[in-house]
Amino acid sequence: MRLDKFICKSTVLNRAEASECINAGKICVNDALVTDISFQVHESNHITLDGQKLIARPSRYIMLHKPMHSLSSNVDGDYPSLFNCIELERVEDLHIVGRLDADTTGLVLLTDDGRWSFDIIRPDKLCEKTYRVTLRDPITADNAADVIASFASGLQLQNEKTLTQPAKLELVTSTEVLLTITEGKYHQVKRMFAAIGNRVNGLHREQIGGLKLDVEVGMWRHLTTDEVSMLATPTPVKL
């Protein structure tokens, strides 16, 4: 992680105060003076502030049930930030692992472990995300097989050069489906259904990897050690 972030994670200093310490020459990494705030460090490095060794606090991993009309942002905007749902010390140190639109509900992960979140969102990990989608137009028995096949083979989204990765579509009713994707393109689910001439009227994320949403709207909980490990090594979807 960045040196300034490590200092915040191991002291009571905020990002600006941590930067001041680095710029002032108060930080050594493995006995070498470092004045670059973006210098990359690891918890196993010997890092000192004014000669005192710093030890990072344990990382936090959180599941949140995002309410409708809340922002995947650290600050309020046209709608309130989803961080308003969380009462924790130093909540500002957390970041969101895979954002949802303001009008989308469901499972959101938050952490202060950048390596863990990167392993979940990086494209080659093919981490599954399952959404419950409410559609404007019904998928009929006559065209269901073709629609499912088109999602499995990949769709051409507007302004994209390549097809989407294979996705799994399951019909719940004619206007409600479960969609599992392994990408995170901008407004991807809405754009996928737009590509077949349909429209998403409701969107809810139920699952990321093997982790299923199990808290009520606006509520949150810490992940277990097993859940953290499971999400670090997701299993690609089988079509």
Side-chain angles (χ1 to χ4, degrees):
M1 73 179 72
R2 284 170 52 114
L3 180 56
D4 57 347
K5 184 176 180 181
F6 178 89
I7 295 171
C8 293
K9 196 172 179 181
S10 55
T11 69
V12 297
L13 301 176
N14 59 34
R15 189 66 68 90
E17 293 166 339
S19 297
E20 289 178 4
C21 288
I22 297 169
N23 292 329
K26 297 182 177 182
I27 304 296
C28 287
V29 179
N30 297 331
D31 298 322
L33 179 66
V34 176
T35 57
D36 179 3
I37 62 174
S38 62
F39 186 81
Q40 293 294 309
V41 298
H42 189 274
E43 281 99 341
S44 63
N45 294 148
H46 183 77
I47 303 171
T48 60
L49 167 60
D50 287 332
Q52 298 296 313
K53 183 178 180 180
L54 301 181
I55 299 176
R57 291 181 291 274
S59 295
R60 296 175 291 178
Y61 308 90
I62 290 172
M63 165 196 293
L64 169 72
H65 190 155
K66 178 185 176 295
M68 175 70 78
H69 296 151
S70 60
L71 297 180
S72 295
S73 168
N74 292 73
V75 296
D76 295 336
D78 293 336
Y79 296 107
S81 163
L82 59 78
F83 279 86
N84 291 320
C85 298
I86 303 174
E87 294 183 3
L88 281 176
E89 292 185 358
R90 301 186 68 89
V91 69
E92 66 276 5
D93 291 346
L94 299 172
H95 63 267
I96 301 167
V97 186
R99 299 171 182 270
L100 293 178
D101 295 338
D103 61 352
T104 302
T105 62
L107 175 57
V108 170
L109 298 176
L110 303 103
T111 186
D112 50 12
D113 184 345
R115 286 172 299 174
W116 182 76
S117 59
F118 179 70
D119 280 344
I120 293 174
I121 64 176
R122 55 190 271 200
D124 62 309
K125 284 292 186 177
L126 298 177
C127 183
E128 303 173 2
K129 282 85 65 177
T130 299
Y131 296 84
R132 186 171 294 270
V133 189
T134 304
L135 301 171
R136 177 192 63 192
D137 304 323
I139 297 176
T140 66
D142 294 335
N143 69 359
D146 290 339
V147 172
I148 292 172
S150 66
F151 276 77
S153 60
L155 296 167
Q156 183 63 58
L157 304 185
Q158 188 174 10
N159 300 322
E160 298 285 347
K161 295 182 178 179
T162 59
L163 299 179
T164 57
Q165 291 293 322
K168 182 178 181 181
L169 187 70
E170 302 174 72
L171 271 62
V172 179
T173 69
S174 61
T175 56
E176 184 176 277
V177 301
L178 293 176
L179 175 65
T180 300
I181 61 176
T182 57
E183 299 175 287
K185 296 180 184 293
Y186 180 70
H187 290 169
Q188 180 167 342
V189 175
K190 296 174 182 177
R191 293 167 67 201
M192 291 177 81
F193 283 98
I196 63 167
N198 209 328
R199 178 184 175 88
V200 172
N201 284 341
L203 189 56
H204 176 82
R205 185 158 65 194
E206 295 191 341
Q207 186 169 342
I208 297 177
L211 182 67
K212 295 182 180 181
L213 182 64
D214 60 8
V215 295
E216 297 298 320
V217 177
M219 304 302 290
W220 62 276
R221 69 170 176 84
H222 292 284
L223 300 186
T224 66
T225 301
D226 287 344
E227 289 170 337
V228 172
S229 300
M230 172 183 64
L231 285 170
T233 54
T235 302
V237 63
K238 295 180 180 179
L239 300 176

